[in-house]
Amino acid sequence: MRKIFILLCACCLGSVVAQAQEFSAVNADGVTLYYSVTGEGEAEIVRHPQYIERVGYEGDVVIPASVEHDGVDYAVTGIGETAFGYCDKLTSVSMPASIERIGESAFAGCELLKAIEIPASVKSIGDYVFEETALTEIHIPAAVESIGEEVFGWCLDLKTITVDGENPRYDSRDNCNAIIETESNTLISGCAGTVIPGTVEHIGHAAFYFTGLESVVLPASVRTIGPNAFQGTPLKSVEIPDGVTEIGMAAFLDCRQLTSVVLPESLTEIDTLTFQYCFLLKEIKLPSALTRICVGAFNYCFSLETIELPASLKEIESLAFSYCLSLREVCCRAADVPAMGEKVEELYVFTPNYCENLSWSYDEDGDLDFYSLKCDGVYRAVLRVPQASVEAYRAATGWGTGDCWSEEDDVLYYEWEFSLGIDGEVCNYFHDIQPIGGETSTEGTVADGSFTVYSDGGVIYIDGAAQDVEVYDITGRRIYGGNSTAVSVGRSGAYIVRSGDEVRKVMVR
């Protein structure tokens, strides 16, 4: 009986303690704020308990440095997770010098919040803290030791970011309007006004996530670009410098204004969803050393008309170029058919039917209206491959063989069930596979004998050579020897290509 009595007392005491952990108090302006005890003599601001009914903090809020409850004074040292989050009538918040931490999404979604001063006492700033606010400028104090991800996502008006010069961990060198992790030279958070310094080596995860960045110059010092780094920005063009070896997943996802991209020759892989939903992307030159294109890399690039896959390509995964509705020609220079990712028959890699004069619009939320897609007609795309490899491509699933379905109800792409006004058969493989140079310009091409050479853009391409090749300029100077199928010569003129006892001549313009 005594044991049961002790347990009951313990439960009652626990209930009292639990109730004491959260309380409310009226501040000096008559606004009721809600608190949670976080330690002995300390409390933090928490979310309004009735926010679910759209009753949240609004107007101008002044947070006191301390608050009294049941005869105990608590120092207000933190702003809890989502404490003011999505209070869309909140216009300003004044934080006391006692605040040391600002929790995840603390002010996210406060659409009227245009300015805020972070106290010098703050040591940590969580993920998404100021996401979707109307901030135009922000200053990071010297005491801040940690900053989360996507802190300024959807802050389209933010143009000025400064970091206190005494901060040992972060800086905003050269008045760059960004936050840089000093030791690693990683830009972790930027805005519409950012100018990337020439000492930055890494663009961090979601560094410019849905910010108002319209143009950017990436310095030669950059080596990696993190996942989601430029996602949702209004960039129109971007040139990624040689030396960049890694571009993370979804780095340029949903960049709807992007029309052209220059990729570095140092890149060997294009990651998952890197350019998905780049509806206006019309041209891109893939690196000559590229070996892999991952899932959905160019998915829904509506404006992409042609693509050239380099001879080095080994693997291309599902949905890599699906729903590229203007893609009329694919040139793959790989002599060995690149492997396709798993489930290629189910998810496919290409949708090799292009739409003439494709147009579309967006709904009231700014999202693509799939039912607005229109075009003058749908035609089959062409695949061009090395002459010696045509039959191999024709026999390969996803390239020359696959599934077809009948469009009896004018529905082109069954996943979304939108109509482009056609009837007939739609397939997830290329019907028309031609040798490179076939039916287009054969200028600079010698096609007789056991191997073929042709030139394009300062590069000599060799197909079907049984032995190593040697390339000589017109003076007889040997400029290359080896087994490459693509030799960059750098200047126009006549060149001689030798393989074993056979010789070819090719003009480079």
Side-chain angles (χ1 to χ4, degrees):
M1 178 66 72
R2 186 171 180 271
K3 184 177 181 181
I4 294 175
F5 176 75
I6 293 173
L7 288 172
L8 287 173
C9 288
C11 290
C12 291
L13 180 61
S15 177
V16 171
V17 171
Q19 291 176 5
Q21 296 301 303
E22 294 191 1
F23 62 91
S24 64
V26 179
N27 72 358
D29 293 338
V31 177
T32 299
L33 300 176
Y34 293 83
Y35 300 87
S36 177
V37 175
T38 56
E40 186 174 353
E42 294 185 357
E44 68 178 13
I45 300 288
V46 295
R47 192 172 179 80
H48 194 296
Q50 293 181 312
Y51 177 80
I52 193 171
E53 300 174 14
R54 304 301 293 174
V55 178
Y57 301 115
E58 58 183 62
D60 302 326
V61 173
V62 177
I63 301 172
S66 63
V67 62
E68 188 270 337
H69 177 68
D70 284 348
V72 179
D73 283 329
Y74 294 95
V76 181
T77 58
I79 299 177
E81 181 177 329
T82 327
F84 295 93
Y86 304 96
C87 293
D88 50 12
K89 296 180 181 179
L90 185 72
T91 54
S92 72
V93 176
S94 177
M95 292 182 278
S98 57
I99 298 293
E100 296 182 355
R101 60 189 177 276
I102 303 176
E104 180 178 316
S105 301
F107 299 99
C110 296
E111 299 173 355
L112 299 181
L113 188 63
K114 294 184 178 181
I116 196 165
E117 183 176 347
I118 301 174
S121 53
V122 170
K123 296 180 180 179
S124 67
I125 300 173
D127 297 338
Y128 324 116
V129 165
F130 298 109
E131 190 172 68
E132 292 187 79
T133 61
L135 292 178
T136 59
E137 60 181 285
I138 197 77
H139 178 74
I140 306 299
V144 173
E145 300 172 351
S146 66
I147 300 174
E149 295 179 346
E150 297 180 35
V151 174
F152 304 116
W154 293 97
C155 291
L156 302 179
D157 299 322
L158 183 63
K159 292 182 173 62
T160 304
I161 300 175
T162 56
V163 179
D164 193 288
E166 299 299 316
N167 190 303
R169 180 154 189 186
Y170 302 103
D171 68 79
S172 54
R173 66 192 70 166
D174 303 333
N175 298 315
C176 64
N177 290 315
I179 302 172
I180 299 171
E181 189 178 62
T182 305
E183 183 177 359
S184 66
N185 289 316
T186 299
L187 192 156
I188 66 166
S189 200
C191 65
T194 296
V195 177
I196 302 176
T199 51
V200 167
E201 297 178 11
H202 310 282
I203 309 297
H205 177 212
F208 293 93
Y209 182 84
F210 281 94
T211 63
L213 187 72
E214 294 184 357
S215 64
V216 67
V217 176
L218 294 170
S221 57
V222 174
R223 293 293 173 264
T224 65
I225 297 174
N228 312 96
F230 294 95
Q231 181 177 344
T233 59
L235 286 172
K236 295 179 175 61
S237 64
V238 63
E239 182 173 346
I240 302 172
D242 283 335
V244 172
T245 58
E246 180 181 335
I247 300 176
M249 181 175 73
F252 295 92
L253 173 69
D254 211 16
C255 290
R256 300 185 184 182
Q257 304 303 314
L258 193 64
T259 59
S260 66
V261 175
V262 176
L263 294 175
E265 286 297 302
S266 50
L267 194 67
T268 60
E269 179 177 305
I270 299 178
D271 209 338
T272 302
L273 307 180
T274 300
F275 296 101
Q276 179 168 278
Y277 300 136
C278 293
F279 300 130
L280 297 182
L281 183 60
K282 193 168 185 177
E283 57 179 326
I284 188 166
K285 185 178 184 299
L286 301 180
S288 60
L290 191 69
T291 60
R292 186 183 184 202
I293 302 175
C294 295
V295 173
F298 296 92
N299 200 12
Y300 295 103
C301 288
F302 285 163
S303 301
L304 199 61
E305 294 183 353
T306 62
I307 194 73
E308 183 170 314
L309 304 174
S312 56
L313 190 67
K314 303 298 182 187
E315 183 177 6
I316 183 168
E317 295 185 342
S318 297
L319 305 177
F321 291 94
S322 64
Y323 302 110
C324 293
L325 301 183
S326 298
L327 189 61
R328 59 190 64 200
E329 180 173 302
V330 175
C331 176
C332 184
R333 297 191 179 276
D336 296 326
V337 180
M340 288 191 168
E342 295 181 2
K343 300 184 178 180
V344 62
E345 294 184 5
E346 179 181 343
L347 297 176
Y348 44 86
V349 172
F350 301 95
T351 44
N353 305 273
Y354 70 89
C355 304
E356 191 75 39
N357 299 321
L358 181 70
S359 64
W360 64 90
S361 61
Y362 302 96
D363 61 25
E364 59 184 11
D365 296 321
D367 296 322
L368 176 70
D369 179 5
F370 281 94
Y371 296 96
S372 71
L373 287 163
K374 296 179 181 178
C375 71
D376 294 337
V378 179
Y379 306 91
R380 298 198 189 282
V382 176
L383 173 65
R384 301 189 188 278
V385 300
Q387 186 174 32
S389 305
V390 170
E391 294 307 317
Y393 278 89
R394 285 176 177 166
T397 300
W399 296 96
T401 65
D403 296 326
C404 294
W405 55 95
S406 179
E407 296 303 329
E408 297 177 355
D409 299 317
D410 293 346
V411 179
L412 179 59
Y413 292 112
Y414 56 90
E415 181 180 348
W416 296 99
E417 296 185 352
F418 59 79
S419 172
L420 288 174
I422 66 159
D423 289 315
E425 188 179 61
V426 176
C427 302
N428 62 354
Y429 66 92
F430 293 93
H431 279 250
D432 192 3
I433 301 178
Q434 299 178 11
I436 295 172
E439 292 194 7
T440 57
S441 173
T442 57
E443 184 176 4
T445 300
V446 180
D448 59 321
S450 63
F451 76 98
T452 301
V453 297
Y454 46 93
S455 66
D456 185 12
V459 178
I460 296 175
Y461 294 96
I462 302 102
D463 285 342
Q467 303 178 44
D468 285 357
V469 298
E470 296 175 304
V471 179
Y472 299 84
D473 65 16
I474 197 63
T475 68
R477 182 173 63 92
R478 183 176 183 268
I479 61 174
Y480 175 78
N483 59 7
S484 176
T485 58
V487 179
S488 178
V489 294
R491 63 175 62 185
S492 61
Y495 291 85
I496 303 297
V497 181
R498 179 189 296 275
S499 177
D501 294 331
E502 298 185 69
V503 175
R504 301 287 182 267
K505 180 179 178 181
V506 61
M507 291 296 300
V508 175
R509 290 183 170 84

